[in-house]
Amino acid sequence: MSAEPLSRTETEHRLEALPGWALEGDRITRTYRLPSHFAAAALTMHIAGIQEELNHHSDLTLGYNTVALSVHTHDAGGAVTEKDLELATRVEAAAPAHGAK
Ligand SMILES: C[C@H](O)[C@H](O)[C@H]1CNC2=NC(N)=NC(=O)C2=N1
C-alpha cells in the first residue's frame, strides 16, 4: 500500500466516507464513546490487534468511556497516507460490535 502523502483536499474527500473522523493538522483523528470503561478497554485491545496486523499504529488513548485515535504515517514524514485511511476503515468496521458511537 502506498505511503505517499495525500493532499489536504484528497484527505478531506476520503474522510467523507469515514463519519466521525477529522483531519487535525497532519493527522486524522476519531474519538469513540463506549457504554462502559470495560467496553472501551476491549475496543482498545481490538484496535491494537488491527494495528499489529497492519503494522500501522496510532496514538491510542483510553479514557473513562472513550477511545481516541490520532494517526499519520511516520515513514512519510508525518503525513496522512493510504495506510492511515486503511486503519481508520478497519477500526470503523470493528467499533460498532463494542457498542461504540
Ligand atoms: C519498522 C516498522 O515497520 C515501522 O516503524 C512501522 C510501524 N508502525 C507505523 N505506524 C505509523 N503510524 N506510521 C509508520 O510509518 C509506521 N511504521
Side-chain angles (χ1 to χ4, degrees):
M1 178 169 292
S2 171
E4 289 300 309
L6 297 173
S7 70
R8 170 174 293 278
T9 303
E10 174 65 15
T11 300
E12 289 171 345
H13 173 68
R14 300 287 294 277
L15 291 180
E16 290 172 8
L18 290 164
W21 286 82
L23 179 60
E24 291 190 34
D26 63 0
R27 292 168 170 264
I28 59 170
T29 66
R30 173 79 151 95
T31 298
Y32 294 97
R33 190 162 299 280
L34 284 298
S36 70
H37 183 61
F38 193 80
L43 177 58
T44 300
M45 282 303 296
H46 192 159
I47 293 170
I50 293 168
Q51 294 185 153
E52 281 297 289
E53 177 192 334
L54 297 178
N55 190 31
H56 201 71
H57 305 82
S58 67
D59 291 345
L60 189 55
T61 305
L62 172 61
Y64 164 60
N65 63 343
T66 58
V67 175
L69 298 91
S70 175
V71 63
H72 61 196
T73 301
H74 308 302
D75 294 343
V80 175
T81 71
E82 290 288 349
K83 293 182 176 184
D84 304 300
L85 296 170
E86 168 69 11
L87 175 59
T89 300
R90 290 286 302 275
V91 174
E92 278 293 300
H98 295 271
K101 300 287 185 204

